[in-house]
Amino acid sequence: MVELKEDERLDYLLAENLRIIQSPSVFAFSLDAVLLARFVYVPIQKGNLLDLCSGNGVIPLFLSARTKGTITGVEIQPRLYDMAVRSIEYNGLGNRLHMVLGDIKDMPKQLGYGKYDVVTCNPPYFTTPPKSEINPNEHLAIARHEILCTLEDAIKAASDLVRQGGKVAFVHRPGRLMDIITLMRKYRLEPKRMQFVYPKAEKDANTLLVEAIKDGSPDLKIEQPLIVYNENNEYTKEIREILYGES
């Protein structure tokens, strides 16, 4: 059994046959996290992986189904950290998955420089607006806006933590593409793979996936676009496979 607090619920991660603790008033993961966990390269048999801005631990849980390596998640909000820890325990993954409560800016000194083979990050997407426009729910505001960490903070931390030749993968909004490329190169991360995600075939892209190599050589591959919904407003075959394991 798992202890659920306040309005928490236990949801299925169907394709991975796992469960995760969620709370609509605190945090519930989006498709973006699922896509990042599927997009990033991971070593299958072993490796040292790190997820920054982990929220309720959804990306470490997803990655656990793709690799036998050790996965560490970092989350600054105590409530979300606690949810992640309980989800890991519920799924019996405490031998491979670990959570750290803290600020990602402190992690290179705390966890070690150049220690990780793979670093992932689903950071806050939006710059901080005037206080009057910020979500009054502190948990949601911190998750969505660059209140406690900026895009540059996240990219710098990822670069410091990944080993030379290791991979760093981010999910973000296409409007920040130039910022992401500029900052990655500033911190010795060379973008090597990129994929745009479209809500529907006739719509503009609303999600960007990018993977870089620490001190890699310039050579960027743009992968086939990923479409979320078909003309009947149903998930496409590709998305159904990602979410439910359907072929």
Side-chain angles (χ1 to χ4, degrees):
M1 294 296 292
V2 62
E3 178 190 4
L4 296 178
K5 303 175 181 178
E6 300 178 27
D7 63 349
E8 292 176 352
R9 64 179 189 262
L10 195 60
D11 287 346
Y12 283 99
L13 305 179
L14 294 174
E16 291 72 20
N17 194 29
L18 297 171
R19 304 291 292 275
I20 187 170
I21 297 170
Q22 304 243 80
S23 164
S25 64
V26 177
F27 185 88
F29 73 87
S30 68
L31 180 62
D32 295 359
V34 187
L35 297 178
L36 177 61
R38 282 302 187 96
F39 172 78
V40 65
Y41 162 85
V42 293
I44 296 174
Q45 295 299 327
K46 60 182 180 179
N48 205 10
L49 295 82
L50 179 69
D51 180 55
L52 303 176
C53 307
S54 277
N56 63 346
V58 61
I59 289 177
L61 287 171
F62 278 128
L63 290 176
S64 73
R66 296 188 58 211
T67 177
K68 296 178 181 178
T70 299
I71 306 167
T72 301
V74 178
E75 174 53 44
I76 197 170
Q77 297 194 62
R79 174 79 190 278
L80 294 178
Y81 163 83
D82 177 62
M83 292 166 65
V85 169
R86 284 182 284 130
S87 291
I88 289 168
E89 292 174 351
Y90 179 83
N91 289 288
L93 292 168
N95 61 323
R96 291 199 296 121
L97 273 60
H98 312 279
M99 290 297 300
V100 176
L101 177 63
D103 191 324
I104 65 170
K105 296 187 289 293
D106 300 329
M107 289 304 111
K109 184 177 293 186
Q110 182 173 333
L111 299 177
Y113 288 84
K115 180 179 176 181
Y116 294 90
D117 301 300
V118 178
V119 178
T120 56
C121 186
N122 181 5
Y125 286 157
F126 308 107
T127 55
T128 304
K131 191 171 183 180
S132 61
E133 299 176 20
I134 295 178
N135 194 310
N137 183 316
E138 179 186 19
H139 299 290
L140 300 180
I142 290 172
R144 294 171 181 170
H145 296 283
E146 296 181 344
I147 296 171
L148 299 183
C149 81
T150 64
L151 177 60
E152 183 164 8
D153 291 333
I155 290 175
K156 182 180 186 303
S159 177
D160 287 342
L161 288 155
V162 75
R163 65 170 173 81
Q164 187 173 20
K167 292 181 169 61
V168 169
F170 273 68
V171 60
H172 217 289
R173 291 288 180 259
R176 300 296 298 276
L177 172 60
M178 295 311 298
D179 293 334
I180 292 168
I181 298 297
T182 300
L183 289 168
M184 281 187 164
R185 284 188 156 177
K186 177 179 178 180
Y187 293 105
R188 298 165 51 200
L189 298 173
E190 184 61 34
K192 301 289 284 187
R193 295 172 54 225
M194 190 178 298
Q195 186 176 39
F196 292 95
V197 183
Y198 299 76
K200 298 188 77 172
E202 69 275 14
K203 300 288 187 179
D204 293 338
N206 64 354
T207 303
L208 169 71
L209 297 159
V210 58
E211 182 182 85
I213 292 180
K214 179 73 172 281
D215 292 326
S217 58
D219 183 21
L220 177 63
K221 175 184 178 182
I222 306 295
E223 302 203 345
Q224 289 290 322
L226 188 61
I227 313 298
V228 177
Y229 294 103
N230 62 23
E231 62 275 10
N232 298 318
N233 293 317
E234 299 168 338
Y235 283 134
T236 59
K237 177 184 175 183
E238 293 79 9
I239 296 298
R240 289 201 312 273
E241 182 176 354
I242 289 171
L243 290 175
Y244 310 125
E246 297 178 1
S247 58

